[in-house]
Amino acid sequence: MRPICLVGLPGAGKSVVGKALAKRVGGQFFDVDEEIEKLIPGTIKQFFESMGEDSFRALEKQVLKGLCCSVPSISVISTGGGAVLSEANRQMMRERSTVVYLCASTSELVRRLRYDTRRPLLQGGQLSEKLARLFEERDPLYREVAHFVIETGRPSVQTLVSMILMQLELAGCIESSRVPSVIDPPVGLDRL
Ligand code: S3P
């Protein structure tokens, strides 16, 4: 088995679903943004403001590569929404991991992110316009890098985990013994 990388727009549920997925298969969970925040003085938002997006992308590339090359094979890595912008990142994720695109409509993302203050690229202006622009730019890149695409819609986190595992199992990317039945109560993606 190879590590699983989750890609998708901010608010797609990469971290919440990633944690639940890792727990279900008895693996470890890693979050690229959390790893970046261990290396910088403040938050990602502050880093964007002081150092600019290019510096963030350079750090993101370094951290993503480090994780993809070193995590145990039974791991789930949640990537930042913009990680796919780099062709080198896409190639590396595709070669070293099983990539799952969590795809959500922009209206669903607006609903989930309407009170967000943490994501630098979504602050100020019309959230729906910003997300629509990101979707237009990135959806083709997520699809290009992904081995599997999961439409998130509004099912519970555990249902999404089951949907992912079913696809991975059918494609032979995960052993059946790693796919236990659901034990946790259903939780929605409303609070990201
Ligand atoms: C970004 C998404 C964020 C974070 C940074 C940049 C993006 O991660 O990496 O703010 O470019 O879309 P999430 O996708 O987890 O919000």
Side-chain angles (χ1 to χ4, degrees), residues 158-179:
Q158 290 304 339
T159 306
L160 287 171
V161 169
S162 299
M163 286 161 69
I164 295 170
L165 287 176
M166 206 160 60
Q167 293 223 21
L168 296 185
E169 195 183 357
L170 275 173
C173 296
I174 187 166
E175 305 96 60
S176 309
S177 58
R178 290 257 161 220
V179 188

Side-chain angles (χ1 to χ4, degrees), residues 8-12 14-15 31-33 36 44-45 48 53 56-57 60 78-83 85 113 116 118-122 134 138 142:
L9 282 174
K14 302 178 296 283
S15 299
D31 186 309
V32 173
D33 284 346
I36 292 173
I44 286 177
K45 190 173 167 209
F48 258 74
E53 183 169 346
F56 174 79
R57 297 295 172 208
E60 180 177 53
S78 164
T79 66
L85 294 170
L113 295 173
D116 179 81
R118 281 188 302 125
R119 292 168 171 92
L121 294 181
L122 299 181
L134 289 183
R138 296 178 182 177
Y142 295 133

Side-chain angles (χ1 to χ4, degrees), residues 34-174:
E34 275 177 22
E35 297 302 319
I36 292 173
E37 284 192 331
K38 289 179 190 165
L39 302 173
I40 60 178
T43 62
I44 286 177
K45 190 173 167 209
Q46 288 162 342
F47 191 82
F48 258 74
E49 281 157 14
S50 60
M51 305 296 289
E53 183 169 346
D54 289 352
S55 304
F56 174 79
R57 297 295 172 208
L59 197 51
E60 180 177 53
K61 182 179 283 180
Q62 193 186 312
V63 168
L64 178 64
K65 189 170 180 191
L67 285 176
C68 285
C69 296
S70 69
V71 295
S73 58
I74 306 165
S75 301
V76 181
I77 302 170
S78 164
T79 66
V84 296
L85 294 170
S86 147
E87 197 192 334
N89 286 352
R90 295 200 300 276
Q91 197 181 329
M92 201 259 317
M93 281 194 277
R94 206 162 157 98
E95 281 172 10
R96 295 204 166 254
S97 69
T98 300
V99 186
V100 178
Y101 170 26
L102 296 185
C103 179
S105 67
T106 46
S107 56
E108 185 61 23
L109 294 174
V110 170
R111 200 181 64 81
R112 292 184 200 154
L113 295 173
R114 59 199 185 281
Y115 303 120
D116 179 81
T117 54
R118 281 188 302 125
R119 292 168 171 92
L121 294 181
L122 299 181
Q123 305 312 306
Q126 269 285 328
L127 180 60
S128 54
E129 277 171 24
K130 284 176 187 283
L131 281 167
R133 224 174 304 126
L134 289 183
F135 184 87
E136 200 184 338
E137 177 191 19
R138 296 178 182 177
D139 179 66
L141 302 178
Y142 295 133
R143 289 181 188 277
E144 180 197 308
V145 70
H147 296 98
F148 301 97
V149 179
I150 300 285
E151 300 290 336
T152 62
R154 291 177 88 163
S156 74
V157 172
Q158 290 304 339
T159 306
L160 287 171
V161 169
S162 299
M163 286 161 69
I164 295 170
L165 287 176
M166 206 160 60
Q167 293 223 21
L168 296 185
E169 195 183 357
L170 275 173
C173 296
I174 187 166

